[in-house]
């Protein structure tokens, strides 16, 4: 067993961002539980449970997208079964032990388990008593983490993720997938403007990946000459590393780069799930925020990106086909992403003159989702921005829709503009007043 220094993940470490947070405030606690549990690399895990409830929790975690690459097996019989099992078998990367035994017995049995563990194997113990002495003794023995029941699958995933994603040394970026409920509803526009706003607000590196390889508009929208970019990465994902990534990205501003689509039709683009997965992995290892601009298609890779993303942002216009399609996407995500936040809904091109529309309220109640932003139809501003290759806020900071993209950037990253400073003490308002007087 290896020694692991336990540390409580703090707000700053969440998501492994390598940037100081702006004054917009900390992540919203209630919404970041799922953000703290990060995708886990290809490791093997064996759990030895005493109760069926714990086995169920491990099973739920094992089926989660974050553990998609992990090999998990669940056994019953607790620590005793583990000791017997590893007499015959090599130990995996991580052993999860549930034990209801008293302190002395747990420690004794763990000692005999340790004798059978390969170096490098980590252990998480799940117990029933909130016992600090036991906790310290476990850590002394090299146990990575002690969790007290009852636990939720997300807590377990977070504990596993903390073992493999050290935020100080390995920033793991967040992936945001943008999809339109229909083609042409402004999903790319929302993605590009939100990405730009994010890079301006947080002064953190943002990559926008255009997966509409044949017709994508990312290059046009940011006024960049077409480059191969993402097509090169996807055609040989094995070769992609930090250095190549740097060459393939097109820098639009200090903190914003695009992975532009080639937009030529002399070839077909048959992407694979694995290729997309590999490219996204390399980007997320190097950049804190990756926004994936998905085309309105339904392929294996498109579906896989949606199911694997940290957050999904659905853009919809207020008509019936949009409502039906948005509902299909929301339902699919609900079924397959049981431990995740709900997708985010952006209502776009609302109040188009003379068009009969479904009201935003009806849309929200049918989807059981509150829109994070409602953007009005404004052909003049959006048309001009598109033609100039500018973002809305660059073109006209006073445009009615300009603040919407900042709101989307804040909402999707779980931040709120008016939040008080992080970990503010209850005395903060008083101290603030005193400061002003001084
Ligand atoms: N709120 C809006 N008002 C007017 N035009 C818009 C609005 N949002 C987007 N557009 C325009 O709609 C067109 C399609 O947008 P795009 O982002 O390419 O859609 P999608 O990616 O969903 O296919 C673009 O020309 C864009 O400028
Ligand atoms: Mg698009």
């Amino acid at each position: 067993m290896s020694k692991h220094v336990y540390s409580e993940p703090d707000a700053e470490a969440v998501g492994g961002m390598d940037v100081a947070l702006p004054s917009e405030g900390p992540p919203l606690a209630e919404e970041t539980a799922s953000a703290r549990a990060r995708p886990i690399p290809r490791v093997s895990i064996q759990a030895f449970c005493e109760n069926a409830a714990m086995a169920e929790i491990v099973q739920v975690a094992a089926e989660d997208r974050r553990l998609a690459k992990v090999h998990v097996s669940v056994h019953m019989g607790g620590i005793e079964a583990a000791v017997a099992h590893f007499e015959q078998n090599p130990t995996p990367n991580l052993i999860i032990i549930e034990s209801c035994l008293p302190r002395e017995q747990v420690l004794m049995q763990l000692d005999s388990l340790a004798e059978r563990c390969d170096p490098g194997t980590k252990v998480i113990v799940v117990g029933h008593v909130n016992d600090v002495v036991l906790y310290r003794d476990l850590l002394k023995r090299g146990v990575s983490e002690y969790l007290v029941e009852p636990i939720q699958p997300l807590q377990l995933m977070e504990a596993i993720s903390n073992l493999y994603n050290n935020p100080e040394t390995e920033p793991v970026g967040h992936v945001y997938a943008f999809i339109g409920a229909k083609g042409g509803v402004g999903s790319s526009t929302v993605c590009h403007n939100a990405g730009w706003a994010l890079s301006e607000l947080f002064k953190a590196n943002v990559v926008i990946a255009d997966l509409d390889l044949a017709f994508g508009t990312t290059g046009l929208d940011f006024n960049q000459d077409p480059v191969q970019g993402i097509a090169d990465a996807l055609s040989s994902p094995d070769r992609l590393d930090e250095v190549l990534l740097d060459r393939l990205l097109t820098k639009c501003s200090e903190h914003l780069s695009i992975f532009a689509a080639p937009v030529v039709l002399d070839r077909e683009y048959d992407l694979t799930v694995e290729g997309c997965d590999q490219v996204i992995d390399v980007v997320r290892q190097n950049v804190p925020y990756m926004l994936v601009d998905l085309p309105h298609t339904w392929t294996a890779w498109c579906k896989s990106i949606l199911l694997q993303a940290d957050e999904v942002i659905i853009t919809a216009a207020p008509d019936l086909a949009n409502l039906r399609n948005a509902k299909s996407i929301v339902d699919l995500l609900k079924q397959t992403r049981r431990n995740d936040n709900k997708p985010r809904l952006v209502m776009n091109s609302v109040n188009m003159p003379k068009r009969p529309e479904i009201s935003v309220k009806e849309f929200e109640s049918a989807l059981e989702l509150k829109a994070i932003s409602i953007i009005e139809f404004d052909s003049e501003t959006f048309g001009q921005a598109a033609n100039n290759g500018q973002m809305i806020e660059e073109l006209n900071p006073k445009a009615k829709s300009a603040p919407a993209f900042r709101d989307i950037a804040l909402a999707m990253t779980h931040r709120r503009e008016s939040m008080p400073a992080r970990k503010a003490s209850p005395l903060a308002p008083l101290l603030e007043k005193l400061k002003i007087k001084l």
Side-chain angles (χ1 to χ4, degrees):
M1 282 182 256
S2 63
K3 184 91 180 85
H4 172 81
V5 182
Y6 176 80
S7 64
E8 200 64 45
D10 62 19
E12 212 152 354
V14 168
M17 285 201 318
D18 58 353
V19 287
L21 293 175
S23 55
E24 280 71 26
L28 305 182
E30 71 274 18
E31 287 180 317
T32 51
S34 82
R36 277 200 299 261
R38 314 293 305 124
I40 293 149
R42 244 168 260 278
V43 293
S44 54
I45 302 178
Q46 292 193 19
F48 293 82
C49 308
E50 289 194 346
N51 299 310
M54 180 63 198
E56 170 71 19
I57 283 164
V58 179
Q59 200 53 48
V60 172
E63 285 163 16
D64 191 90
R65 64 178 172 86
R66 300 170 189 81
L67 272 78
K69 294 184 193 136
V70 178
H71 186 263
V72 184
S73 56
V74 185
H75 313 255
M76 297 309 288
I79 193 162
E80 222 170 300
V83 173
H85 181 82
F86 294 120
E87 235 154 60
Q88 316 280 338
N89 301 291
T91 47
N93 301 99
L94 171 65
I95 303 173
I96 300 170
I97 298 281
E98 184 193 23
S99 178
C100 313
L101 296 170
R103 185 196 310 155
E104 291 311 318
Q105 263 171 287
V106 177
L107 294 175
M108 220 172 64
Q109 295 212 356
L110 264 182
D111 285 340
S112 66
L113 178 64
E115 285 166 24
R116 289 158 181 85
C117 273
D118 300 324
T121 291
K122 296 177 197 278
V123 175
I124 291 178
V125 176
V126 183
H128 291 246
V129 278
N130 198 348
D131 176 349
V132 182
V133 182
L134 171 63
Y135 176 64
R136 286 208 197 107
D137 283 342
L138 288 173
L139 291 198
K140 260 191 236 152
R141 281 170 166 78
V143 166
S144 301
E145 180 70 285
Y146 177 64
L147 301 171
V148 184
E149 292 190 77
I151 63 165
Q152 297 301 316
L154 261 178
Q155 249 175 299
L156 181 65
M157 284 186 253
E158 190 186 335
I160 301 172
S161 139
N162 286 342
L163 298 186
Y164 294 101
N165 299 316
N166 181 348
E168 270 155 37
T169 55
E170 300 167 54
V172 180
H174 284 73
V175 178
Y176 302 88
F178 286 75
I179 189 154
K182 245 174 80 173
V185 292
S187 173
S188 298
T189 309
V190 168
C191 172
H192 303 166
N193 280 277
W196 183 86
L198 191 60
S199 71
E200 294 286 310
L201 275 172
F202 294 1
K203 305 282 175 236
N205 290 342
V206 174
V207 163
I208 296 175
D210 191 342
L211 279 171
D212 192 349
L213 269 69
F215 302 112
T217 51
T218 311
L220 286 179
D221 283 359
F222 288 101
N223 199 17
Q224 297 292 331
D225 285 336
V227 277
Q228 288 289 337
I230 198 156
D232 279 355
L234 286 164
S235 64
S236 44
D238 294 332
R239 279 183 43 226
L240 190 64
D241 59 11
E242 217 180 308
V243 181
L244 183 58
L245 179 68
D246 227 36
R247 271 197 9 232
L248 295 179
L249 290 175
T250 308
K251 214 168 158 62
C252 298
S253 66
E254 192 185 345
H255 292 291
L256 181 76
S257 299
I258 57 174
F259 226 154
V263 280
V264 288
L265 300 183
D266 57 358
R267 65 194 116 135
E268 300 82 42
Y269 305 99
D270 294 322
L271 309 185
T272 61
V273 171
E274 296 73 31
C276 292
D277 212 35
Q278 270 174 289
V279 169
I280 289 175
D281 263 2
V282 175
V283 177
R284 70 144 37 111
Q285 274 157 23
N286 290 284
V287 185
Y289 298 101
M290 178 184 198
L291 279 65
V292 184
D293 178 6
L294 291 169
H296 184 76
T297 48
W298 200 240
T299 56
W301 57 265
C302 188
K303 182 176 172 194
S304 156
I305 292 174
L306 268 191
L307 300 189
Q308 294 293 329
D310 291 300
E311 303 281 341
V312 175
I313 297 92
I314 303 171
T315 299
D319 70 21
L320 193 57
N322 271 278
L323 180 56
R324 183 204 57 189
N325 297 353
K327 178 109 181 78
S328 305
I329 300 173
V330 170
D331 287 348
L332 173 81
L333 296 177
K334 216 187 266 171
Q335 267 169 34
T336 45
R337 295 161 55 96
R338 285 161 61 192
N339 308 305
D340 283 282
N341 296 321
K342 287 181 180 172
R344 309 294 180 146
L345 173 68
V346 174
M347 294 299 306
N348 189 27
S349 298
V350 173
N351 294 336
M352 187 191 276
K354 295 202 173 147
R355 179 174 69 176
E357 293 183 356
I358 296 177
S359 76
V360 172
K361 254 205 178 104
E362 281 176 275
F363 227 91
E364 290 177 330
S365 76
L367 297 181
E368 292 173 27
L369 272 185
K370 186 131 186 58
I372 54 168
S373 183
I374 301 165
I375 304 169
E376 298 220 343
F377 178 75
D378 177 358
S379 49
E380 198 181 333
T381 308
F382 281 81
Q384 191 70 54
N387 284 348
N388 292 5
Q390 277 183 307
M391 294 297 103
I392 301 293
E393 203 180 320
E394 284 179 301
L395 174 80
N396 178 11
K398 294 208 179 81
K400 213 171 158 196
S401 53
F405 301 108
R406 285 179 176 246
D407 291 345
I408 296 169
L410 291 170
M412 69 190 219
T413 52
H414 309 286
R415 292 193 174 76
R416 210 184 265 157
E417 199 127 30
S418 55
M419 289 281 283
R422 185 180 324 114
K423 286 181 192 158
S425 92
L427 294 178
L430 186 65
L431 293 173
E432 233 9 80
K433 270 189 205 154
L434 286 174
K435 230 194 272 172
I436 294 166
K437 274 190 191 160
L438 284 173

